Amino acid sequence: MFFEWNRDVEMCRHLDSVWPPVSLERQRRWAEKTATEDPTNDGYFWVIEAPDGQVAGSIGLHDCDRRSGTFKYGVAVRSEYQRRGYASEAIVMVLRYFFGELRYRK
């Protein structure tokens, strides 16, 4: 699914940048590494799963600074799953976790 996203210029334009083409093998290695590595500096990456088991999107946390209490996130939802509440539900879950459990403040 992420390999398909990276080849979809319209989807990439809604993300942080249009990435150069990568091989399916490289994308597989990235997904495996991302799924198995421990998060660093509270930088998480989660897949948003639809009830049918398909990947609806993803949400990633970055630029996390516990000292200042700030963080950033990026969310992407596949076009066929948009306008169904997946992004807003993921954002609310992240905000509750970061503000309620990790004690971020901004």
Side-chain angles (χ1 to χ4, degrees):
M1 193 273 315
F2 292 106
F3 179 72
E4 291 175 17
W5 271 7
N6 285 348
R7 295 174 54 202
D8 183 350
V9 175
E10 287 303 313
M11 182 65 175
C12 290
R13 286 186 179 140
H14 295 290
L15 300 173
D16 56 340
S17 66
V18 176
W19 293 92
V22 298
S23 68
L24 181 59
E25 176 60 23
R26 182 174 177 170
Q27 193 70 54
R28 186 198 60 74
R29 285 194 318 260
W30 170 84
E32 185 176 282
K33 178 180 176 256
T34 302
T36 58
E37 72 183 355
D38 290 331
T40 53
N41 299 325
D42 296 331
Y44 293 91
F45 182 86
W46 290 300
V47 170
I48 301 169
E49 186 176 307
D52 62 3
Q54 296 296 311
V55 174
S58 64
I59 187 165
L61 286 291
H62 57 93
D63 296 336
C64 304
D65 184 345
R66 281 195 185 206
R67 185 171 172 266
S68 66
T70 60
F71 64 94
K72 297 177 183 177
Y73 66 87
V75 64
V77 177
R78 295 169 61 188
S79 60
E80 59 268 30
Y81 290 97
Q82 290 178 1
R83 301 186 125 5
R84 297 187 190 176
Y86 290 108
S88 58
E89 184 176 347
I91 292 167
V92 168
M93 287 173 38
V94 162
L95 294 178
R96 284 184 179 151
Y97 179 63
F98 268 67
F99 291 137
E101 299 298 323
L102 299 181
R103 306 208 187 272
Y104 278 79
R105 294 291 167 237
K106 301 174 189 173

